[in-house]
């Protein structure tokens, strides 16, 4: 549900980072913000609403200006959801009008159930908003590759792939894989835009 504002001559796309609690969604946005703010004309403020312990309470938000399509400026609005199970109503709200999803999986073995639960929750919440996980632009990020208990990539893929989506390994705290992931989802969103434009 891309929002095209012909008066401001801009296209607004919404990308949501989804996944289990403590998986690294906010860390992804912090890194993108750090890199992009080297050219301030492209980036707005990173707005985070967090608890005292830095868990996302409602959402994180980061606007980015990334190029043009047919004379319209393209703005990507990045959001994260709170991963903690009991914030489901916030997740539903944040998914409204979504154009693309990054699923940030936690590679640690003990977080496999939380990953699976979060994917099921995503599919359900998308459905309630009238979206289909099988059709929406979607990439899978396998985060926390630096940890000793990270599962092998093949095992994670076997359990977490939903539709042959692109998969990227990441260490969000170091920025590894963060921009590659973002570019991949942005590319899919732009392809959808071109189809409908
Ligand atoms: N070792 C390691 N730690 C990471 C990595 N990515 C994130 N972390 C750490 O994991 C913790 C949680 O990261 P957040 O980005 O806050 O996780 P989140 O997914 O936003 O969590 P919620 O907001 O509760 O849903 C923080 O202490 C991060 O520094 C990573 O790739 N490797
Ligand atoms: Mg967070």
């Amino acid at each position: 549900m891309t929002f095209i504002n012909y008066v401001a001559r801009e296209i607004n796309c919404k990308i949501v980072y989804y996944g289990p609690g403590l998986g690294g969604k906010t860390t992804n946005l912090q890194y993108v913000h750090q890199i992009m703010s080297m050219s301030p004309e492209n980036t707005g403020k990173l707005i985070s609403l967090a608890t005292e312990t830095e868990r996302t309470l409602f959402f994180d938000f980061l606007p980015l200006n990334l190029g043009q399509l047919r004379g319209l400026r393209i703005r990507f609005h990045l959001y994260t959801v709170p991963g903690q199970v009991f914030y489901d109503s916030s997740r539903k709200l944040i998914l409204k009008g979504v154009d693309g999803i990054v699923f940030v999986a936690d590679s640690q073995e003990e977080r496999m159930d939380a990953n699976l639960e979060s994917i099921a929750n995503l599919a359900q919440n998308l459905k309630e908003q009238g979206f289909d996980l099988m059709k929406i632009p979607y990439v899978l990020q396998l985060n926390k590759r630096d940890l000793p208990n990270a599962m092998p990539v093949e095992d994670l893929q076997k359990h977490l792939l939903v539709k042959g989506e692109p998969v990227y390994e990441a260490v969000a705290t170091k920025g590894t894989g963060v921009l590659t992931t973002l570019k991949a989802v942005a590319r899919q969103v732009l392809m959808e835009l071109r189809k409908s434009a």
Side-chain angles (χ1 to χ4, degrees), residues 6 9-11 67-74 193-197:
Y6 287 101
R9 302 202 61 73
E10 64 186 26
I11 304 175
Q68 297 226 331
L69 180 71
R70 294 182 191 160
L72 298 170
R73 194 160 63 122
I74 305 168
L193 253 178
R194 292 208 175 88
K195 268 194 227 162
S196 57

PDB file of all heavy atoms in Angstrom, residues 6 9-11 67-74 193-197:
ATOM      1  N   TYR A   6       1.522  13.178  -4.939  1.00  0.00           N
ATOM      2  CA  TYR A   6       1.877  13.866  -6.188  1.00  0.00           C
ATOM      3  C   TYR A   6       2.197  15.339  -5.956  1.00  0.00           C
ATOM      4  O   TYR A   6       2.937  15.931  -6.719  1.00  0.00           O
ATOM      5  CB  TYR A   6       0.769  13.693  -7.221  1.00  0.00           C
ATOM      6  CG  TYR A   6       0.735  12.298  -7.781  1.00  0.00           C
ATOM      7  CD1 TYR A   6      -0.187  11.362  -7.334  1.00  0.00           C
ATOM      8  CD2 TYR A   6       1.660  11.903  -8.750  1.00  0.00           C
ATOM      9  CE1 TYR A   6      -0.203  10.070  -7.826  1.00  0.00           C
ATOM     10  CE2 TYR A   6       1.663  10.602  -9.248  1.00  0.00           C
ATOM     11  CZ  TYR A   6       0.721   9.702  -8.788  1.00  0.00           C
ATOM     12  OH  TYR A   6       0.723   8.420  -9.270  1.00  0.00           O
ATOM     13  N   ARG A   9       5.523  15.308  -4.749  1.00  0.00           N
ATOM     14  CA  ARG A   9       6.287  14.515  -5.716  1.00  0.00           C
ATOM     15  C   ARG A   9       7.149  13.464  -5.042  1.00  0.00           C
ATOM     16  O   ARG A   9       8.341  13.351  -5.294  1.00  0.00           O
ATOM     17  CB  ARG A   9       7.141  15.417  -6.635  1.00  0.00           C
ATOM     18  CG  ARG A   9       6.301  16.437  -7.417  1.00  0.00           C
ATOM     19  CD  ARG A   9       7.002  16.937  -8.650  1.00  0.00           C
ATOM     20  NE  ARG A   9       7.318  15.911  -9.621  1.00  0.00           N
ATOM     21  CZ  ARG A   9       6.445  15.293 -10.413  1.00  0.00           C
ATOM     22  NH1 ARG A   9       5.165  15.580 -10.333  1.00  0.00           N
ATOM     23  NH2 ARG A   9       6.842  14.387 -11.268  1.00  0.00           N
ATOM     24  N   GLU A  10       6.513  12.696  -4.174  1.00  0.00           N
ATOM     25  CA  GLU A  10       7.269  11.627  -3.524  1.00  0.00           C
ATOM     26  C   GLU A  10       6.440  10.358  -3.359  1.00  0.00           C
ATOM     27  O   GLU A  10       5.210  10.403  -3.305  1.00  0.00           O
ATOM     28  CB  GLU A  10       7.829  12.096  -2.170  1.00  0.00           C
ATOM     29  CG  GLU A  10       6.772  12.444  -1.158  1.00  0.00           C
ATOM     30  CD  GLU A  10       7.354  13.041   0.118  1.00  0.00           C
ATOM     31  OE1 GLU A  10       8.452  13.620   0.071  1.00  0.00           O
ATOM     32  OE2 GLU A  10       6.703  12.915   1.154  1.00  0.00           O
ATOM     33  N   ILE A  11       7.173   9.250  -3.334  1.00  0.00           N
ATOM     34  CA  ILE A  11       6.566   7.949  -3.089  1.00  0.00           C
ATOM     35  C   ILE A  11       7.026   7.489  -1.716  1.00  0.00           C
ATOM     36  O   ILE A  11       8.216   7.545  -1.414  1.00  0.00           O
ATOM     37  CB  ILE A  11       7.049   6.915  -4.125  1.00  0.00           C
ATOM     38  CG1 ILE A  11       6.762   7.396  -5.543  1.00  0.00           C
ATOM     39  CG2 ILE A  11       6.422   5.558  -3.881  1.00  0.00           C
ATOM     40  CD1 ILE A  11       7.310   6.476  -6.615  1.00  0.00           C
ATOM     41  N   GLY A  67      16.723   7.923  -3.821  1.00  0.00           N
ATOM     42  CA  GLY A  67      16.607   7.933  -5.277  1.00  0.00           C
ATOM     43  C   GLY A  67      15.258   8.377  -5.799  1.00  0.00           C
ATOM     44  O   GLY A  67      14.411   8.887  -5.066  1.00  0.00           O
ATOM     45  N   GLN A  68      15.063   8.171  -7.094  1.00  0.00           N
ATOM     46  CA  GLN A  68      13.878   8.676  -7.789  1.00  0.00           C
ATOM     47  C   GLN A  68      13.272   7.614  -8.692  1.00  0.00           C
ATOM     48  O   GLN A  68      13.962   6.727  -9.161  1.00  0.00           O
ATOM     49  CB  GLN A  68      14.290   9.843  -8.684  1.00  0.00           C
ATOM     50  CG  GLN A  68      14.843  11.034  -7.920  1.00  0.00           C
ATOM     51  CD  GLN A  68      14.256  12.343  -8.388  1.00  0.00           C
ATOM     52  OE1 GLN A  68      13.884  12.471  -9.559  1.00  0.00           O
ATOM     53  NE2 GLN A  68      14.153  13.300  -7.491  1.00  0.00           N
ATOM     54  N   LEU A  69      11.974   7.729  -8.912  1.00  0.00           N
ATOM     55  CA  LEU A  69      11.293   6.882  -9.892  1.00  0.00           C
ATOM     56  C   LEU A  69      10.346   7.793 -10.675  1.00  0.00           C
ATOM     57  O   LEU A  69       9.434   8.382 -10.097  1.00  0.00           O
ATOM     58  CB  LEU A  69      10.507   5.761  -9.190  1.00  0.00           C
ATOM     59  CG  LEU A  69       9.737   4.807 -10.095  1.00  0.00           C
ATOM     60  CD1 LEU A  69      10.682   3.900 -10.876  1.00  0.00           C
ATOM     61  CD2 LEU A  69       8.777   3.952  -9.275  1.00  0.00           C
ATOM     62  N   ARG A  70      10.581   7.898 -11.981  1.00  0.00           N
ATOM     63  CA  ARG A  70       9.751   8.770 -12.839  1.00  0.00           C
ATOM     64  C   ARG A  70       9.555  10.158 -12.238  1.00  0.00           C
ATOM     65  O   ARG A  70       8.432  10.657 -12.134  1.00  0.00           O
ATOM     66  CB  ARG A  70       8.397   8.123 -13.097  1.00  0.00           C
ATOM     67  CG  ARG A  70       8.595   6.874 -13.923  1.00  0.00           C
ATOM     68  CD  ARG A  70       7.345   6.173 -14.281  1.00  0.00           C
ATOM     69  NE  ARG A  70       7.691   4.875 -14.834  1.00  0.00           N
ATOM     70  CZ  ARG A  70       6.877   3.849 -14.906  1.00  0.00           C
ATOM     71  NH1 ARG A  70       5.666   3.953 -14.463  1.00  0.00           N
ATOM     72  NH2 ARG A  70       7.289   2.724 -15.430  1.00  0.00           N
ATOM     73  N   GLY A  71      10.638  10.739 -11.770  1.00  0.00           N
ATOM     74  CA  GLY A  71      10.583  12.099 -11.247  1.00  0.00           C
ATOM     75  C   GLY A  71      10.030  12.210  -9.841  1.00  0.00           C
ATOM     76  O   GLY A  71       9.931  13.307  -9.295  1.00  0.00           O
ATOM     77  N   LEU A  72       9.640  11.102  -9.253  1.00  0.00           N
ATOM     78  CA  LEU A  72       9.142  11.140  -7.878  1.00  0.00           C
ATOM     79  C   LEU A  72      10.256  10.695  -6.937  1.00  0.00           C
ATOM     80  O   LEU A  72      10.959   9.734  -7.214  1.00  0.00           O
ATOM     81  CB  LEU A  72       7.940  10.195  -7.716  1.00  0.00           C
ATOM     82  CG  LEU A  72       6.706  10.510  -8.550  1.00  0.00           C
ATOM     83  CD1 LEU A  72       5.701   9.367  -8.461  1.00  0.00           C
ATOM     84  CD2 LEU A  72       6.059  11.810  -8.090  1.00  0.00           C
ATOM     85  N   ARG A  73      10.400  11.422  -5.849  1.00  0.00           N
ATOM     86  CA  ARG A  73      11.398  11.064  -4.852  1.00  0.00           C
ATOM     87  C   ARG A  73      10.911   9.837  -4.088  1.00  0.00           C
ATOM     88  O   ARG A  73       9.736   9.767  -3.715  1.00  0.00           O
ATOM     89  CB  ARG A  73      11.543  12.244  -3.882  1.00  0.00           C
ATOM     90  CG  ARG A  73      12.730  12.212  -2.973  1.00  0.00           C
ATOM     91  CD  ARG A  73      12.980  13.638  -2.456  1.00  0.00           C
ATOM     92  NE  ARG A  73      11.838  14.087  -1.666  1.00  0.00           N
ATOM     93  CZ  ARG A  73      11.918  14.481  -0.394  1.00  0.00           C
ATOM     94  NH1 ARG A  73      13.081  14.496   0.204  1.00  0.00           N
ATOM     95  NH2 ARG A  73      10.851  14.885   0.259  1.00  0.00           N
ATOM     96  N   ILE A  74      11.805   8.888  -3.872  1.00  0.00           N
ATOM     97  CA  ILE A  74      11.395   7.685  -3.145  1.00  0.00           C
ATOM     98  C   ILE A  74      11.844   7.777  -1.691  1.00  0.00           C
ATOM     99  O   ILE A  74      13.016   7.952  -1.411  1.00  0.00           O
ATOM    100  CB  ILE A  74      11.998   6.410  -3.759  1.00  0.00           C
ATOM    101  CG1 ILE A  74      11.641   6.320  -5.237  1.00  0.00           C
ATOM    102  CG2 ILE A  74      11.496   5.173  -3.029  1.00  0.00           C
ATOM    103  CD1 ILE A  74      12.427   5.268  -5.972  1.00  0.00           C
ATOM    104  N   LEU A 193       6.478  -1.736  -7.170  1.00  0.00           N
ATOM    105  CA  LEU A 193       6.049  -0.381  -7.538  1.00  0.00           C
ATOM    106  C   LEU A 193       6.009  -0.217  -9.052  1.00  0.00           C
ATOM    107  O   LEU A 193       5.073   0.338  -9.615  1.00  0.00           O
ATOM    108  CB  LEU A 193       7.062   0.622  -7.002  1.00  0.00           C
ATOM    109  CG  LEU A 193       6.680   1.467  -5.820  1.00  0.00           C
ATOM    110  CD1 LEU A 193       7.837   2.352  -5.437  1.00  0.00           C
ATOM    111  CD2 LEU A 193       5.451   2.311  -6.138  1.00  0.00           C
ATOM    112  N   ARG A 194       7.082  -0.695  -9.706  1.00  0.00           N
ATOM    113  CA  ARG A 194       7.175  -0.551 -11.162  1.00  0.00           C
ATOM    114  C   ARG A 194       6.052  -1.316 -11.837  1.00  0.00           C
ATOM    115  O   ARG A 194       5.531  -0.889 -12.852  1.00  0.00           O
ATOM    116  CB  ARG A 194       8.529  -1.053 -11.660  1.00  0.00           C
ATOM    117  CG  ARG A 194       9.661  -0.170 -11.208  1.00  0.00           C
ATOM    118  CD  ARG A 194      10.849  -0.182 -12.158  1.00  0.00           C
ATOM    119  NE  ARG A 194      11.841   0.777 -11.703  1.00  0.00           N
ATOM    120  CZ  ARG A 194      12.805   0.473 -10.812  1.00  0.00           C
ATOM    121  NH1 ARG A 194      12.915  -0.750 -10.356  1.00  0.00           N
ATOM    122  NH2 ARG A 194      13.648   1.397 -10.413  1.00  0.00           N
ATOM    123  N   LYS A 195       5.697  -2.471 -11.252  1.00  0.00           N
ATOM    124  CA  LYS A 195       4.603  -3.277 -11.813  1.00  0.00           C
ATOM    125  C   LYS A 195       3.302  -2.494 -11.799  1.00  0.00           C
ATOM    126  O   LYS A 195       2.512  -2.543 -12.723  1.00  0.00           O
ATOM    127  CB  LYS A 195       4.413  -4.550 -10.970  1.00  0.00           C
ATOM    128  CG  LYS A 195       5.205  -5.740 -11.463  1.00  0.00           C
ATOM    129  CD  LYS A 195       4.666  -6.978 -10.768  1.00  0.00           C
ATOM    130  CE  LYS A 195       5.805  -7.839 -10.233  1.00  0.00           C
ATOM    131  NZ  LYS A 195       5.329  -8.794  -9.219  1.00  0.00           N
ATOM    132  N   SER A 196       3.080  -1.764 -10.676  1.00  0.00           N
ATOM    133  CA  SER A 196       1.795  -1.100 -10.506  1.00  0.00           C
ATOM    134  C   SER A 196       1.786   0.322 -11.063  1.00  0.00           C
ATOM    135  O   SER A 196       0.728   0.933 -11.199  1.00  0.00           O
ATOM    136  CB  SER A 196       1.397  -1.099  -9.025  1.00  0.00           C
ATOM    137  OG  SER A 196       2.411  -0.464  -8.275  1.00  0.00           O
ATOM    138  N   ALA A 197       2.980   0.881 -11.363  1.00  0.00           N
ATOM    139  CA  ALA A 197       3.034   2.273 -11.822  1.00  0.00           C
ATOM    140  C   ALA A 197       2.630   2.400 -13.288  1.00  0.00           C
ATOM    141  O   ALA A 197       2.753   1.474 -14.047  1.00  0.00           O
ATOM    142  CB  ALA A 197       4.424   2.834 -11.617  1.00  0.00           C
TER     143      ALA A 197
END
